[in-house]
């Protein structure tokens, strides 16, 4: 029988999934021998399985907005919160009294009195009304925390003055002792631990926060400061009001601000209020920046937006407070989280665009945040979406993060965003934008002439970067990319692209005719760097197509002159280089001259072959 | 969009929007604002928690309309009682306590109505009870769980599940609520104790009693062989 009792307990555990492996084996052994327990287990298991098959709540039938409206309607039809004070059922009051005893009840009265004195945020509760209600009202089930509190009030003895005084003295002393000598800037973690130990030993820990709040405006600044530091480090949002009130007392304000800062993001609303005080804003701003995070950024953003009321960004109402420039500096100090705020401010305050975008450039890591925002950029033609997108494009133009280039390319492919995107691409500082332009050029999603118009200023700005890109393309053997780059550079017809064209002319991966075009284009663009590049690479072309070699020589001669061309010819080791030089100086049209030079080169480089060819009928 | 969110929340079981540090911060600020009379902030709380509260209400009450009523009543009560919320536990758990108390009140009120009856658990009275419940007061034939239908005719998991729903609705409130919270809401006994205002040991006992009561009610249908 006792085996069955044990097993039934184990069955319960098994159903709850809390049966240890060893116990499970024992249960299985018992079930094998006891049909009653086996049947019980099987029945309950089937029951559990049936539970799992019960229909799920039909959440798809819910209309959340209708529900919110329903709650609002229900609230409108109800008395105000202060009128629905919780009432304690009699039996719970009696139970509390029996358990707690007189001393506990006295303490409870003290706590309730403290709470009433220190928490203006709560509904104004008339204690006599609460006490009256206890005897007459029906139980209210839906305020689960309330009955106990009302109950202890109802059961409390009235002569609690001594107990209350003792409690106050104890905590006051604890605050004085544990926080002695601590300034607003000192770390107070140890003091908090000491004070909690102190109060725990006194058996009051369960109501510590409420009690300490009553000391936050104590007449003794040392006690008040200690209470503030404690509440700040405790970080309970409910204590914030008590700390904020202390900000109004000059002797406590520094500690109160430190306490708000200790609360972290919970204290930010309090610090935001301090920004409105002439005597407090500097300290509050510093603490706000130290806390950081998006909430701090939002506070500063709000201040910047509200601060633009008068000349210099300072209204009459804000005289003596932080100027707009100081607030923007604060935003910059917050780091990447401020990017969102600055962009919103740009939208709100277009007159400040330049200043705000400059601030954006000062934010370390701001580009990363901006790129993250691009992923969430709104689509569509709604004015607000267009406005936001335009701000993002402008910000990308300012910060020019390379990670934003794919986004810009997509935008450029969209007729609505094309002009803005191409404008930013055209203003890009470095040639890192070239692959993006090349892709747009090749894919045909943007008209060629528009891509060419955007590429020209990039070439002018960073010709060296374009050359390096051409070198990398040639080195990596990207035939198609080299081909496309050549096409783009030829379309641009910009002298700054000459060296890159020379690189492509010397690149073996391209077909000879394309290399010939590249070499001739260097000459026509009159780019000296390109011509020099060709001259340096010419020895490697001796074995190449004669016309390509001739084109290079024509270009070198055209850009650098006869002397340089003669020097290059000497370096090639030709027999009778003067003949080639003469051919280069022919006053014939380009094509004829090119042909002439190519023939001369053939004769000089391979005289036997040339003779044979001449003697052949 | 909102409906999808609600379904997702339900799929995730006990996960609430206030999960995570940022969510808790937002929630704390909303509660503070709502305490000060900010209805918009309270609307935010309703949006965040309506789905889970409704789900709990539905599991306790068993039908959509009443569950919606209960959920709305829960938030209306919560607004009035926000001053009592002490941030000493999840707001969602606090709301759950309210909805459980409201459901309990509703069950008790229903129990006092003459047309509503608890299910007799003693085997000796089952037959009499079955006879009574086989026909509704309006004279309609009800698929009552003890209406004389044989296990053979009602065999199968689907039928058992339907009968379980019936049986569950007839359990007394003090057994039904802990059982639903344990089995359908997946709460542990500490959480059940907090929600119902009893000790964890009592909650455990109540769940076990509820299971045994259901077993007695559904005994003929739990064994496919009818044994």
């Amino acid at each position: 029988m006792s085996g069955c009792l044990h097993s039934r307990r184990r069955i319960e555990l098994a159903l709850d999934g809390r049966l240890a492996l060893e116990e499970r084996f024992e249960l299985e052994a018992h079930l094998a021998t006891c049909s009653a327990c086996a049947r019980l287990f099987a029945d309950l298991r089937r029951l559990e399985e049936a539970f799992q098959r019960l229909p799920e709540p039909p959440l798809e039938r819910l209309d959340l907005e209708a529900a919110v409206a329903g709650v609002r309607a229900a609230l409108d039809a109800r008395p105000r919160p202060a009128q629905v004070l919780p009432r304690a059922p009699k039996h719970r009051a009696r139970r509390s009294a029996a358990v707690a005893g007189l001393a506990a009840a006295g303490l409870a009265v003290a706590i309730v009195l403290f709470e009433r004195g220190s928490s203006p945020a709560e509904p104004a509760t008339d204690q006599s009304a609460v006490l009256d209600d206890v005897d007459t009202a029906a139980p209210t089930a839906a305020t689960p925390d309330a009955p106990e509190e009302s109950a202890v009030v109802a059961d409390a003895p009235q002569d609690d003055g001594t107990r209350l005084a003792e409690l106050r003295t104890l905590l006051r002393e604890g605050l004085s002792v544990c926080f002695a000598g601590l300034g607003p800037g000192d770390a107070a973690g140890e003091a908090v631990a000491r004070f909690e130990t102190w109060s725990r030993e006194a058996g009051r820990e369960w109501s510590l926060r409420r009690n300490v709040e009553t000391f936050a405006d104590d007449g003794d600044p040392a006690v008040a400061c200690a209470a503030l530091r404690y509440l700040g480090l405790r970080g309970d949002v409910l204590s914030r009001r008590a700390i904020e009130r202390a900000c109004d007392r000059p002797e406590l304000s520094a500690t109160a601000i430190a306490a708000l800062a200790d609360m972290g993001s919970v204290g930010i609303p309090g610090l935001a209020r301090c920004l409105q005080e002439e005597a407090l804003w500097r300290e509050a701003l510093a603490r706000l920046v130290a806390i950081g995070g998006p909430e701090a950024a939002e506070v500063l953003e709000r201040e910047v937006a509200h601060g633009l009321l008068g000349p210099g960004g300072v209204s009459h109402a804000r005289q003596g407070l932080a100027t707009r420039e100081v607030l923007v500096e604060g935003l910059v100090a917050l780091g990447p989280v401020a990017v969102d705020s600055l962009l919103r401010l740009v939208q709100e305050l277009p007159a400040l665009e330049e200043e705000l975008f400059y601030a954006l450039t000062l934010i370390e890591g701001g580009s990363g945040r901006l790129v993250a925002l691009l992923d969430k950029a709104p689509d569509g033609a709604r004015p607000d979406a267009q406005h936001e997108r335009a701000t993002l494009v402008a910000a990308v133009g300012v910060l020019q993060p390379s990670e934003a280039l794919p986004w810009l390319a997509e935008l450029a492919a969209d007729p609505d965003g094309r002009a803005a995107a191409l404008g930013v691409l055209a203003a890009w500082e470095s040639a890192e934008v070239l692959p993006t332009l090349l892709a747009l050029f090749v894919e045909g999603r943007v008209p060629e002439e528009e891509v060419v118009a955007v590429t020209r200023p990039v070439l002018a700005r960073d010709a060296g970067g374009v050359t390096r890109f051409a070198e990398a393309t040639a080195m990596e053997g990207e035939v198609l990319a080299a081909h496309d780059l050549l096409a783009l550079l030829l379309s641009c017809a910009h002298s700054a692209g000459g060296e890159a064209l020379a690189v492509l002319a010397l690149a073996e991966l391209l077909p000879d005719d394309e290399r010939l075009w590249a070499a001739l284009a260097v000459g026509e663009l009159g780019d000296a760097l390109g011509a020099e590049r060709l001259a340096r690479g010419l020895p490697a072309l001796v074995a190449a197509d004669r016309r390509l070699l001739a084109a290079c020589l024509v270009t070198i001669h055209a850009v650098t002159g006869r002397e340089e061309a003669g020097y290059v010819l000497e370096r090639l080791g030709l027999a009778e280089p003067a003949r080639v030089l003469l051919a280069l100086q022919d006053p014939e049209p380009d094509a004829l001259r090119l042909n002439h030079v190519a023939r001369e080169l053939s004769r000089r480089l391979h005289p036997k072959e040339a003779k044979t060819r001449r003697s052949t009928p | 969009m909102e409906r999808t969110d609600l379904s997702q929340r339900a799929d995730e079981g006990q996960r609430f929007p206030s999960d995570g540090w940022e969510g808790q911060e937002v929630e704390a600020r909303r509660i503070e604002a709502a305490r000060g009379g900010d209805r918009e902030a309270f609307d935010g709380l309703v949006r965040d928690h309506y789905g889970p509260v409704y789900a709990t209400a539905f599991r306790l009450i068993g039908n959509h309309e009443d569950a919606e009523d209960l959920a709305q009543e829960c938030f209306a009560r919560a607004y009035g009682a926000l001053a009592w919320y002490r941030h000493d536990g999840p707001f969602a758990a606090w709301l759950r306590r309210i909805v459980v108390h409201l459901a309990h009140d509703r069950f008790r009120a229903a129990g006092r109505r003459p047309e509503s009856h608890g299910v007799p658990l003693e085997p000796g009275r089952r037959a009499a009870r079955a006879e009574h419940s086989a026909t509704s007061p309006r004279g309609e034939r009800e698929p009552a769980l003890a209406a004389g239908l044989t296990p053979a005719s009602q065999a199968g998991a689907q039928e058992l599940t339907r009968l379980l729903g019936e049986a569950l609705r007839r359990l007394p409130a003090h057994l039904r609520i802990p059982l639903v919270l344990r089995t359908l809401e997946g709460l542990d006994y500490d959480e059940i104790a907090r929600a119902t205002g009893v000790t964890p040991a009592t909650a455990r006992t109540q769940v076990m009693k509820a299971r045994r009561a259901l077993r007695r009610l559904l005994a003929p249908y739990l064994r496919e062989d009818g044994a």
Side-chain angles (χ1 to χ4, degrees), chain A residues 319-395:
Chain A
Q319 287 292 347
L321 299 184
T323 61
R324 189 187 67 229
E325 289 79 4
V326 170
L327 292 168
V328 171
E329 279 174 23
L331 276 172
V332 170
L334 287 175
V337 290
V339 170
D340 308 46
S341 295
L342 285 172
L343 294 180
R344 278 193 295 269
L345 283 170
V346 167
Q347 289 180 56
E348 277 180 50
L349 312 168
L352 287 183
E353 184 178 303
E354 195 177 338
E355 180 187 335
L356 294 168
F357 275 147
Y358 175 68
L360 197 62
T361 63
L362 300 179
I363 294 179
E364 201 174 329
S367 297
R369 177 62 195 155
L370 177 61
V371 171
L373 289 177
L374 297 181
D375 292 337
K376 302 171 194 163
D379 295 327
R382 287 180 294 108
D384 56 335
Q386 286 185 339
H387 192 194
E388 191 177 336
R389 209 162 48 218
T391 308
L392 285 170
V393 172

Side-chain angles (χ1 to χ4, degrees), chain B:
Chain B
M1 188 62 184
E2 296 292 355
R3 293 181 182 194
T4 310
D5 288 348
L6 284 169
S7 302
Q8 283 171 352
R9 281 177 211 168
D11 291 344
E12 289 167 8
Q14 298 300 312
R15 284 180 61 78
F16 292 105
S18 57
D19 284 354
W21 182 83
E22 271 186 16
Q24 286 173 8
E25 288 295 317
V26 170
E27 190 173 79
R29 280 203 302 278
R30 280 183 176 160
I31 292 168
E32 275 292 283
R35 275 179 171 160
D38 184 344
R39 287 282 187 90
E40 294 288 336
F42 189 71
D43 286 352
L45 291 170
V46 175
R47 284 192 187 91
D48 281 349
H49 293 279
Y50 194 83
V53 165
Y54 163 80
T56 303
F58 180 87
R59 286 172 180 136
L60 289 169
I61 296 281
N63 74 71
H64 171 70
E65 285 74 19
D66 286 346
E68 274 223 294
D69 282 351
L70 204 65
Q72 294 195 4
E73 174 73 354
C74 168
F75 282 105
R77 294 287 184 98
Y79 184 76
L82 270 178
W84 298 108
Y85 177 59
R86 300 171 178 178
H87 293 269
D88 53 359
F91 186 64
W94 189 71
L95 288 174
R96 187 190 292 127
R97 290 175 68 184
I98 295 178
V99 81
V100 164
H101 280 280
L102 285 172
H104 197 271
D105 279 1
R106 199 167 280 216
F107 294 155
R108 281 196 308 193
R112 285 197 292 271
R113 285 202 298 271
E115 68 272 18
S116 176
H117 302 276
V119 176
L121 303 181
E122 297 83 355
R125 291 171 58 192
R126 190 187 301 149
R129 180 71 194 145
E131 215 173 77
H132 176 88
S133 63
T135 308
S136 73
R138 295 186 298 277
E140 295 163 355
R141 188 78 181 167
E142 283 183 348
L145 85 135
L149 301 178
T150 63
S153 67
Q154 296 188 31
Q158 203 174 350
E159 186 66 4
L160 176 62
T161 305
R162 187 182 65 77
L163 294 173
L164 173 63
E166 286 280 322
L168 200 54
R169 276 192 281 281
R170 293 178 183 189
L171 281 184
H174 74 281
L175 299 183
R176 175 179 175 179
I177 290 173
L179 182 66
V180 167
L181 294 179
R182 175 77 196 108
T183 321
L184 299 179
E185 290 277 292
L187 303 192
D188 61 35
Y189 289 114
D190 286 343
E191 290 171 317
I192 296 170
R194 278 196 292 276
T196 56
V198 298
T199 64
T202 304
R204 185 175 291 114
T205 307
Q206 286 173 336
V207 169
M208 200 56 212
K209 278 185 179 173
R211 280 175 175 149
R212 289 176 187 171
L214 283 179
R215 181 187 177 233
R216 280 199 294 275
L217 283 168
L218 297 167
Y221 315 99
L222 288 170
R223 284 153 229 160
E224 286 168 0
D225 58 359

Side-chain angles (χ1 to χ4, degrees), chain A residues 196-212:
Chain A
E196 288 195 331
T197 308
W198 174 290
S199 53
R200 196 157 39 240
E201 282 169 4
R204 311 279 184 258
E205 70 281 1
W206 61 276
S207 61
L208 205 51
R209 176 184 64 77
R210 296 272 184 174
N211 284 293
V212 174

